[in-house]
Amino acid sequence: MTLVQLEYLLAVDTHRHFATAAEHCFITQPTLSMQLQKLEDELGVQLFDRSRVPVRPTEIGKEIIAQARKIITESKKIREIVQDQKQELSGELRIGVIPTLAPYLMPLFITSFLEKHPNVRVVVQELLTEQIVEQLNYELLDVGLLVTPLEDKSIKELPLFYEAFVTYINPKHPLAQYATIKPEQLDMNELWVLNEGHCFRSQVLNICNRGSSGTPEQYSNFDYKSGSLETLKRIVETQHGLTLLPELSVLEMPEYKRKLVHPFQEPQPLREVSLVVHRSFLKKKLIEALQQEILASIPEEIRNRKKEQVVAIK
């Protein structure tokens, strides 16, 4: 049994396809299949049910794969010990970030982070929360940027800051006359929200304490499912109704658009933005450097805000 064989084993479990796993391991499929067959012969068990598409691990295979992940993680820590002795950070950092954070948070810190750490290659993917958690568990990502708490025992959460929700209201809407808004003033029949799967949608509905289809009642003949806050903003600006936005999304707005922004009355509903990693995460120094850079880039008012009224995700 070799570490290489265990890495091939994990690749097949991750991709559930021999050819795809071989491609990601930069070897041919026959080579990968041969090595896994040798591993199965040595152990005297079948690790995968090859009769199914996609392939699935057998029951004993699941247990061996779980142990193999621990072994590979521990072996990587040896290289990390050596890397920690070097003065400059290097390597690849794979980041998953949710769509309601990516366009507003990433531009604040990514340029300065890359300038400070030129030997680090950063790979960023916009993914939904459940996709980030899944890829962290499969070690396809090193760290996630998302909204917590998740209440997932496999994930370690490192809270960064608390971001307020604000309302974005069409100037002709009756609520536009108020400088600040109370949650109970919101009419779900006039609220544009993201489609299902976005944690931001769940939090908006929790603030309003009711369900919603996502399309205001007066547009009952228009079924619009949006995954973009920017699209919802444009609809509010040009059509009718209102939506809720995260605080970072309105910081750089031109003045004529900021007139549509109405904060909530205190205590404002907040969302907790965190770095999340797998419980047995690696690349600690890289992730610490990322954490420091993000915190340095956040406006002081947001960075110093205390955890008060965090809105539940579910």
Side-chain angles (χ1 to χ4, degrees):
M1 184 189 310
T2 67
L3 290 176
V4 170
Q5 288 174 331
L6 295 182
E7 287 178 345
Y8 294 167
L9 172 67
L10 298 184
V12 175
D13 179 55
T14 297
H15 301 288
R16 301 298 171 93
H17 191 274
F18 279 81
T20 305
E23 181 181 345
H24 280 79
C25 292
F26 303 102
I27 58 172
T28 64
Q29 182 179 341
T31 298
L32 181 141
S33 297
M34 179 185 67
Q35 289 298 323
L36 284 184
Q37 187 62 58
K38 284 185 177 180
L39 180 60
E40 288 180 326
D41 291 344
E42 179 181 344
L43 296 175
V45 297
Q46 184 177 350
L47 298 173
F48 290 99
D49 180 357
R50 294 167 173 78
S51 66
R52 301 177 64 183
V53 179
V55 296
R56 290 285 187 271
T58 60
E59 288 305 310
I60 186 66
K62 291 177 183 178
E63 294 185 37
I64 293 172
I65 287 168
Q67 188 62 34
R69 289 197 182 279
K70 296 178 183 178
I71 294 170
I72 293 300
T73 297
E74 292 301 315
S75 71
K76 289 179 179 178
K77 287 181 180 179
I78 296 175
R79 291 193 290 269
E80 193 162 291
I81 290 171
V82 176
Q83 184 66 37
D84 285 349
Q85 298 302 310
K86 299 179 181 180
Q87 295 297 317
E88 291 186 353
L89 294 177
S90 62
E92 183 176 82
L93 186 62
R94 300 164 299 175
I95 305 172
V97 56
I98 57 174
T100 59
L101 268 177
Y104 317 117
L105 181 59
M106 292 299 299
L108 297 181
F109 73 86
I110 192 62
T111 300
S112 58
F113 180 83
L114 293 173
E115 288 175 349
K116 290 180 182 177
H117 309 291
N119 294 324
V120 177
R121 179 174 182 264
V122 177
V123 179
V124 180
Q125 294 184 67
E126 283 193 30
L127 301 166
L128 298 180
T129 297
E130 62 182 21
Q131 294 172 318
I132 292 175
V133 171
E134 180 181 32
Q135 294 205 23
L136 284 172
N137 286 326
Y138 280 114
E139 299 181 0
L140 297 175
L141 290 175
D142 300 308
V143 63
L145 270 169
L146 45 73
V147 173
T148 52
L150 298 178
E151 298 180 356
D152 188 319
K153 293 182 179 179
S154 69
I155 298 299
K156 182 176 182 179
E157 301 172 3
L158 307 170
L160 292 168
F161 58 89
Y162 296 92
E163 181 183 20
F165 289 84
V166 299
T167 59
Y168 197 62
I169 305 174
N170 183 282
K172 296 180 181 179
H173 192 280
L175 288 181
Q177 63 181 303
Y178 297 99
T180 58
I181 302 297
K182 298 178 182 179
E184 55 266 30
Q185 289 180 284
L186 299 179
D187 184 348
M188 292 299 299
N189 293 322
E190 298 178 328
L191 188 70
W192 297 93
V193 297
L194 295 176
N195 56 21
E196 293 183 6
H198 292 268
C199 60
F200 193 84
R201 170 193 170 94
S202 300
Q203 290 180 303
V204 167
L205 297 183
N206 283 334
I207 290 172
C208 301
N209 203 28
R210 286 185 275 172
S212 170
S213 66
T215 302
E217 195 174 68
Q218 64 265 38
Y219 294 103
S220 58
N221 62 337
F222 174 43
D223 186 8
Y224 189 82
K225 300 184 185 302
S226 175
S228 166
L229 288 176
E230 293 302 308
T231 302
L232 297 186
K233 284 161 64 176
R234 288 293 296 150
I235 291 176
V236 169
E237 292 164 8
T238 60
Q239 302 299 323
H240 189 268
L242 66 155
T243 191
L244 267 60
L245 299 174
E247 189 175 9
L248 288 179
S249 72
V250 304
L251 292 182
E252 301 298 325
M253 273 186 174
E255 186 59 33
Y256 74 95
K257 287 189 176 183
R258 286 194 63 83
K259 294 178 181 179
L260 279 64
V261 177
H262 301 257
F264 281 98
Q265 290 186 11
E266 297 289 350
Q268 299 179 76
L270 308 174
R271 67 174 184 170
E272 180 180 77
V273 177
S274 299
L275 281 176
V276 299
V277 293
H278 191 269
R279 282 288 175 186
S280 57
F281 74 105
L282 300 171
K283 304 183 182 178
K284 288 183 172 62
K285 284 199 171 181
L286 268 177
I287 292 171
E288 286 174 2
L290 178 67
Q291 183 180 26
Q292 293 169 7
E293 198 62 39
I294 293 173
L295 288 173
S297 72
I298 297 299
E300 185 176 0
E301 179 184 354
I302 299 177
R303 185 171 63 245
N304 295 334
R305 183 179 287 137
K306 304 300 181 183
K307 179 179 180 179
E308 294 176 350
Q309 190 169 323
V310 174
V311 180
I313 298 174
K314 295 181 180 179

